[in-house]
Structure formats: structure tokens, C-alpha cells
Amino acid sequence: MALEENAELRETIRKIALLNAIRHDGKAQVDPVIGKILGEKQELKTRVKELSALVNDVVREVNNLPLNEQQRIVEEKWPEALIKEKVEQEKRLPSLPNVDKYAKVVTRFSPNPDCVLHLGSARAIVLCHEYARMYKGKFILRFEDTDPKLKRPVLEFYDRIREDLAWLECKPDEEYIQSDRLSIYYEYARRLLKDGNAYICTCQSEHFRKQVLASKTCECRNLPPKKHLAKWQGMLEGKYKEGEVVFRVKTDLSHPNPAVRDWPALRVIDAEKYPHPRVGSTYHVWPLYNFACGIDDHLMGVTHIIRGKEHLTNMVRQEYMYRYLGWQYPEAIHYGRLKITGASLSKSKIVQGIREGIYKDWDDPRLATFAALRRRGITPEAIKKMIIDVGPKTSDVILSWENLNAYNRKILDPMADRYFFVENPIELTVKHIPKKFVARLNLHPEQSERGFREYIIKPERNEGFATFWVSKNDVQASKIGNVIRLMELFNIKMEKVNMYSAEASFISKSYEEARKAKAPLIHWIPVGEDMPCQVVMPDATTTEGIAESACKRLKPNNMIQFERFGFVRIDKVDMKLTVYYTHR
Ligand SMILES: [Zn+2]
């Protein structure tokens, strides 16, 4: 079909052009409209020339209207789009401090690939990414994988983390892996030793702790740099076993927080016992978090560190090292904790649950991992919007699943097609149907342009009956003799209900009559136009039922709403439909 004859496409272009015009004093621009259409309808990428002619045509039409007329049309036809626009314009993140000091804003997200990502990481990812975009800067992904012993990285998680970021539409501009950078860390370690700003401590840890708590030096601290450089060489050559030696950065020994005093920067890990999944047993001297992270932030040109306030002490530690190396510490923004009630965000609990088989996989619907949220049909837009609304404030924020669901519902409601699903199905026979009925059920109640599905109810010639699947709960709630309306079809009177079947008689077609009789509206599926359907619920239980046959055309990842049941994500379509329940 020629694009210009596609009325539905033309209408979509008109909507986008009108919205664009309203934002630009009544004059829509062609290119952003084309861009938006191509974003939504990938299949048109091969027909850009034709599309651009059509868009030009529609934009000309739209631009001929006065601004108030443009607004009126949108308010009347697509009020939800206008609300969305408004929210998007209003909700901007507060500006970052001292942006003018830097040529380019650079942020980073630095996960340890020892677990998959979950909702608890969303704040760091979204804020860092959004700020980089807001200032046309750079967003870095850095894998902090330098603890092969206690926070052992796992190969598959590097990819899973990349996937999660891509899904969140927070793709990094650059990527680094710390286990590739050991020689860089060694070089700076040597420099700190040479300048007398760090030392190799070979005391027993208990002894060191006692000294430092009393603001006293240990025996190693004041040895000349030359001696420390020799010990460092010994450390690299494997002369010390795990636990025998610690590389420490000097600080003020009277710093009020003892945890800051002469913090550990590198240590020996038994490389044979704890090989690294990427670099094997090549290294046995590994940097600790503050050292590697501090060096990298400077070398990678990070201008704004945006992270949780639990990192405040780390900044204090790292600032000593920055001073020694003559570096300027980046701007640091420390936000408060974000808790989601009812979501387990503990990495160790997730990993343990998987190991013990409590959770089937990383995307088990009970988990708050991104993989699970994705499978359940939570959209990345909803997560982003929620995080941006919360912003980078320092106070703690407690949200619930219901908050996230509300964001998600707002996104799904205008885009999800509607279908019927019958839970606890029971066969209902309706008698005395006088003629053939054609039920046209709109895919969306407010957007008839999205199309419909059609079911023909043709009564058996002599007896005039037809059979339907309806929910047992619906018919059992209704007394014998009561009127019920089969949505968008006709009204019936209940005559018999038992465990396995029900009977009713046709009364009338008009909706008015049903309204007057205060008849409940129930959904239905003609027997023979059905397919079995399994719904996986958020608690990992399953509900079996029947979906209408039109669902056969759905594809995995489609989001739909089962009317009077809830939004679901299509997981699998074959003889049986498998869906994941998102929320009401
Ligand atoms: Zn010592």
C-alpha cells in the first residue's frame, strides 16, 4: 500500500506534527517528526523518501492552523499525549555544580560484575546517564572487578550488565574493565611509595589496628621510601603470602574517623586459590576499591561522581591520594538511599536464593533484578521516570512496588491493546439467540484507529444457542434470573449455574437496557475461538485460563491488557499462550 493511502499512519503523523507544532509556537519541523515516526515504526526505514513526502504534506497542513486550533485538536483527540508532554517538560533534573569548570561533563557507572543488576542500581545508572545526556557529555561504564576473592566477578555478568544498560537505554559511550588495568595501578602505587606518601605494612593486622586506633604509627610507616620500594618489588615477585602484607596510603593519623587512617590500597591474594575469571592467576597483587576507583576517576576524566551517600568516607580517603598526586578531586554528588518496600535488593540474598534453587533464574518474577522486571513487563521508561522524579536528593526515599507500577501503568495504558482472558473458565450456553451477531471489539477503548477483533456468533439453526467461556467467578456472583451483559455483545438472563457449566437465555442487544437493569458487564470468549493461557504471577505461582483466539497473532514482548484482569507481557506463543503478569 502506498504510504499516502495509509490513513492510520497519516493520523499518527498528524498527532506527532501537532505536538511538535505546539512546542514550537505553532510551527512543526519536518525532521524531528520523521525521526519520531521512524523510532516508532522501524519498518518504514526503507521507505524514507515516501515517508518524508507524506510528513512534509501533513506538516504543511498542520502549520496552516493557528496555535490555539492545534492545541484544541490535541486536547480533544489525544489528551493523554498532552499530559505526557507536560510532565516531560516539567521534570528536569536539578543542574550539576560547577559544570563551567569542565570542557565536557563525564560521569561513570561502576558496577562489580559479581551479581546481575537490580533496581537498587537504577538510581546510579539513570542519574549518571541522564546528566551526561543533559550536558552532551560522556557516560562511562567501568567494571570494578579487582576482588577475585570476596567479591568474585563472574564472566556472564559482564554481558548481563551490558544488556541491562542497553535495555534501560543507558548505553555507555566508553567502557573499561579494571582487571585490564593492573599495570596502571602498579605504576601509581610505586609513585606514592617513592614520594613517601604510602608504605608497605608487614605488621600483624591486630597490631596495626591497635596502633592506628591510638593514632600511633606502626613500625613500618617511617622506614625510608627505598626500603618500601624494595618490599613492593618483593610483593610483586610473590615473596609475601596472602595476609602478610598491605600497601597503605598515608593519612592524618588523628583523623576523627579511624576507618580513614592509613587506609589499605593494595594487598596480596592467593592467585592459585582464587584465580580471576578474566585474567586467571596472572596477578596476585590486587588494588582495593578506593585505590583503583580513585585512580580511574582521574585518568578517565570523570568530572562528576554521582553515587550513594554511603561513599562519603571513600571520598575523604581518596582525597589524600589526590593531593599526593597533585590531582583535583571531581565534583561529588552523594544521594540518599532509595528503598523499595517488598523488594529484596540484597545481592547476597539473590545469589544465595539462585544457588539454593529458591529462584529459578535471574529473571524470577519475585526478584527486583532488571532481568525480572523486563520479563514482567516493567518498562525502562517507567524506571527512568521514577528515578528522575526522585532526583539526586540526599534524603532517603522509600518507594513501593505500587509507585513503580503507577509509572508503568501510565506508559502502558495508551499503548497496550486489550484482549479477553477468562480465569477459572466455565462453559456458558446461551439459548434463544434470534439471529447472527457480529461482535467488533476495539483493541483500545480510546483509540478506535488501532483496529478491532471480530467474533461472529452464529446460533445453531434449530435450537438457537451458542456457547461461551466465561469466568466461574462472574456467573456465580450472579443470581438465577439476573441480567448480565456480555461486553459489546448482548444481554442474557441467568438460568442455571453448577460446578461445570451454566445456562442463560438471550434477552436483548441494547446497552441501554443493560445499564437500566444495572447488569454487570462480563467478558467472554466463544467456545472454539479460544486458546489455553498460562499467567505467571509476580509471586511465581501460575494461573491457568483461556485467552481469545486473536491472541495467536501476538508476539513475545508485546504488552497487552487482559480486560478486567491486568496488564501482561507476552512471553511465549504456540499452542498455548504464556504471559507474565505485570500489574492491574
Ligand atoms: Zn606496619
Side-chain angles (χ1 to χ4, degrees), residues 201-203 218 220:
C201 174
T202 48
C203 301
C218 74
C220 324

Side-chain angles (χ1 to χ4, degrees), residues 258-532:
V260 168
R261 299 175 197 164
D262 285 15
W263 51 273
L266 298 107
R267 83 298 201 200
V268 169
I269 287 179
D270 188 333
E272 299 304 322
K273 216 163 146 193
Y274 305 105
H276 190 280
R278 288 187 71 249
V279 296
S281 306
T282 320
Y283 306 103
H284 55 271
V285 175
W286 286 96
L288 285 145
Y289 171 77
N290 280 296
F291 186 72
C293 161
I295 301 273
D296 280 348
D297 280 342
H298 175 78
L299 296 182
M300 293 169 192
V302 172
T303 61
H304 291 76
I305 300 173
I306 304 160
R307 62 184 169 194
K309 64 183 176 190
E310 67 274 15
H311 284 284
L312 269 167
T313 311
N314 291 331
M315 177 171 83
V316 178
R317 291 189 183 107
Q318 290 170 344
E319 275 171 336
Y320 283 96
M321 182 169 75
Y322 270 66
R323 229 171 293 141
Y324 300 145
L325 295 170
W327 296 346
Q328 181 76 39
Y329 200 78
E331 312 293 329
I333 294 100
H334 291 99
Y335 50 74
R337 263 174 254 272
L338 174 68
K339 279 190 202 138
I340 313 276
T341 49
S344 170
L345 294 182
S346 142
K347 269 190 190 183
S348 54
K349 273 190 191 150
I350 295 174
V351 172
Q352 194 189 350
I354 293 271
R355 202 183 306 129
E356 289 172 3
I358 298 168
Y359 304 123
K360 284 186 208 105
D361 208 339
W362 302 106
D363 57 5
D364 188 293
R366 286 164 290 181
L367 294 174
T369 58
F370 288 132
L373 297 174
R374 184 153 68 226
R375 192 146 199 205
R376 278 182 45 194
I378 300 289
T379 59
E381 294 85 354
I383 297 174
K384 273 181 152 172
K385 215 159 209 144
M386 182 174 87
I387 298 294
I388 289 172
D389 280 356
V390 171
K393 56 185 157 213
T394 49
S395 52
D396 292 347
V397 179
I398 299 178
L399 294 173
S400 65
W401 277 114
E402 199 32 62
N403 291 120
L404 179 58
N405 291 348
Y407 279 95
N408 204 52
R409 196 176 291 117
K410 240 183 236 168
I411 289 160
L412 292 184
D413 192 54
M415 60 162 269
D417 283 341
R418 271 53 168 178
Y419 289 94
F420 286 163
F421 164 73
V422 175
E423 200 183 358
N424 297 323
I426 184 173
E427 199 175 310
L428 167 76
T429 303
V430 179
K431 296 176 295 182
H432 312 303
I433 303 173
K435 61 178 180 79
K436 183 176 100 176
F437 283 88
V438 178
R440 278 198 172 180
L441 304 157
N442 279 339
L443 286 172
H444 196 283
E446 281 119 41
Q447 304 168 40
S448 56
E449 70 277 10
R450 292 175 80 107
F452 54 85
R453 65 264 193 221
E454 187 176 88
Y455 292 106
I456 296 168
I457 311 302
K458 207 172 161 194
E460 293 293 321
R461 216 171 300 153
N462 297 326
E463 295 85 356
F465 71 84
T467 49
F468 301 88
W469 293 113
V470 293
S471 171
K472 201 186 267 183
N473 318 4
D474 283 338
V475 287
Q476 283 180 343
S478 179
K479 288 201 190 90
I480 301 302
N482 277 11
V483 178
I484 287 180
R485 179 168 178 79
L486 301 182
M487 287 165 79
E488 309 282 325
L489 185 60
F490 47 56
N491 311 321
I492 56 172
K493 189 153 103 190
M494 290 309 299
E495 286 173 350
K496 225 191 262 173
V497 180
N498 62 37
M499 282 296 286
Y500 308 105
S501 62
E503 273 179 39
S505 276
F506 172 92
I507 318 180
S508 60
K509 181 177 185 330
S510 110
Y511 172 71
E512 245 336 272
E513 241 169 85
R515 205 179 54 84
K516 271 188 205 143
K518 295 203 171 85
L521 270 57
I522 71 166
H523 57 283
W524 48 274
I525 294 170
V527 170
E529 295 282 3
D530 47 51
M531 69 188 299

Side-chain angles (χ1 to χ4, degrees), residues 153-183:
V154 178
L155 272 187
E156 66 162 310
F157 297 150
Y158 294 79
D159 272 338
R160 284 185 182 272
I161 288 172
R162 291 182 188 113
E163 264 169 46
D164 285 342
L165 292 192
W167 173 70
L168 271 172
E169 288 159 25
C170 293
K171 270 203 162 175
D173 303 303
E174 270 172 25
E175 183 191 298
Y176 297 92
I177 304 181
Q178 287 189 330
S179 54
D180 285 339
R181 298 168 59 80
L182 274 279
S183 59

Side-chain angles (χ1 to χ4, degrees), residues 132-161:
R133 289 293 153 275
M134 188 167 147
Y135 291 104
K136 300 194 170 31
K138 189 161 77 179
F139 172 57
I140 292 175
L141 167 63
R142 184 172 73 219
F143 288 107
E144 298 195 337
D145 59 344
T146 62
D147 186 350
K149 188 180 174 184
L150 295 176
K151 293 180 175 174
R152 198 179 147 66
V154 178
L155 272 187
E156 66 162 310
F157 297 150
Y158 294 79
D159 272 338
R160 284 185 182 272
I161 288 172

